[in-house]
Amino acid sequence: MTADDLGIGIKAKAATGHASSAPDAPEIAANDPRVQEIIRLANQFGGVLLSGPPGTSKSFYAAAAAQHLTGGDNARCRFVQFHASYQYEDFMLGFSPENDGFGIKKGPFLSLAHDAKDDPGNAYVLVIDELSRADVGRVFGEALTYVERSKRELPFRIANGDELVVPTNLIILATMNPFDRGVDEVDAAFERRFAKISMDPSAELLEGILVDNEMDEALAAGVLRWFRRVNEHARKNPAAAVGHAYFADASDTASLMDIWEYQLKYLVQRAFRRDVNTLADVEAAWKRTFVVPAPEGTPMGASGREPPPDPEAGQ
């Protein structure tokens, strides 16, 4: 079965499509303002960097823009994820084991560049997730210079001596976390070559998520208060930024407690490990999320909903 058979791929000729690996992810229309911005900049600069902390819909929007740039034709799109051991041999070309030894295998960049050159009337899109996780100079090699818009269509030699051009109709969309190690090198390599869009935590998008998930209004208001509070701290401590996408499946108290216990708690503890007072403040603010303000005239200490039990109580 293919990814499309499972409902998680990019379906050909679809007007809109999933921009996430989740099969039940919402569809993004081509006229979405963020998608339109990415498409416009991609056509102008040849590449776009979506930069922001985890959970800010970077991969979601990169995939959505790729969907619309290619008209949903997954033959004209490749997705790759960089990591610490990703190399030129993975991305451009390298030796690959075969039945009778080894042979040269094209990587996704080289393959897509050849396809785009043979079909100049259509856009081809390479989506790179986690761009800042690899040594981009080592991965791109000679091609790093020629992905720049002003140097497209200029021939150069790759490692095996073959001549290559980076065609104008090859678009690169990449996501990156600005707080990853080595991000300065990525910025230096790509900021003057591509457009860059900051993807920040959005209370407006979070509110839309909670409304769509039919969360109780009072509970949703508490989540939004905490979200704004922690991201206010992120102005001085960027590691504290919490993206709205963390709450994609939040609909009630139980789901929120799972998100906290298995994800957010560790993010908060890591961000404030050297600031115990702020850590205690953020954790206390989270617990208050589940307390509904008492109506006027209610006796002191009474409220409509009690906070969930502290899992560490009694330890």
Side-chain angles (χ1 to χ4, degrees), residues 47-202:
V48 180
L49 302 179
L50 304 181
S51 177
T56 51
S57 307
K58 300 183 297 294
S59 299
F60 188 78
Y61 276 103
Q67 164 85 6
H68 297 298
L69 281 163
T70 61
D73 183 358
N74 58 358
R76 293 193 276 126
C77 188
R78 299 283 192 284
F79 290 82
V80 298
Q81 184 177 45
F82 282 8
H83 50 79
S85 60
Y86 201 78
Q87 300 288 341
Y88 183 93
E89 292 78 9
D90 303 303
F91 191 60
M92 295 291 290
L93 82 164
F95 286 105
S96 176
E98 297 178 349
N99 292 332
D100 55 351
F102 289 85
I104 294 292
K105 180 182 178 181
K106 294 181 181 179
F109 184 91
L110 186 60
S111 177
L112 205 60
H114 285 161
D115 291 346
K117 185 176 183 295
D118 293 337
D119 185 18
N122 286 306
Y124 285 70
V125 181
L126 177 64
V127 180
I128 303 173
D129 209 14
E130 306 288 4
L131 179 72
S132 46
R133 295 289 176 88
D135 182 339
V136 293
R138 184 185 293 264
V139 171
F140 276 82
E142 309 86 350
L144 185 60
T145 296
Y146 296 91
V147 296
E148 187 175 336
R149 193 68 165 179
S150 63
K151 294 180 174 61
R152 297 292 181 97
E153 307 293 347
L154 295 178
F156 63 98
R157 299 283 178 182
I158 56 177
N160 67 346
D162 286 350
E163 187 175 271
L164 178 69
V165 299
V166 180
T168 304
N169 59 323
L170 174 58
I171 292 169
I172 298 174
L173 304 179
T175 72
M176 59 181 282
N177 183 341
F179 312 117
D180 277 342
R181 295 177 183 175
V183 75
D184 289 343
E185 289 78 7
V186 175
D187 282 345
F190 285 98
E191 279 187 341
R192 71 178 183 83
R193 291 178 168 91
F194 295 163
K196 186 175 180 179
I197 298 175
S198 293
M199 303 286 286
D200 300 314
S202 169

Side-chain angles (χ1 to χ4, degrees), residues 179 230 232-241 270-273 275:
F179 312 117
V230 72
E232 185 68 25
H233 286 297
R235 294 186 178 186
K236 293 183 178 179
N237 180 3
R270 183 171 60 252
F272 300 110
R273 61 182 179 273
D275 186 351

Side-chain angles (χ1 to χ4, degrees), residues 271-293:
F272 300 110
R273 61 182 179 273
R274 295 185 179 89
D275 186 351
V276 294
N277 291 331
T278 304
L279 173 61
D281 175 72
V282 170
E283 289 179 334
W286 174 261
K287 292 177 182 179
R288 290 195 296 273
T289 295
F290 303 94
V291 180
V292 176

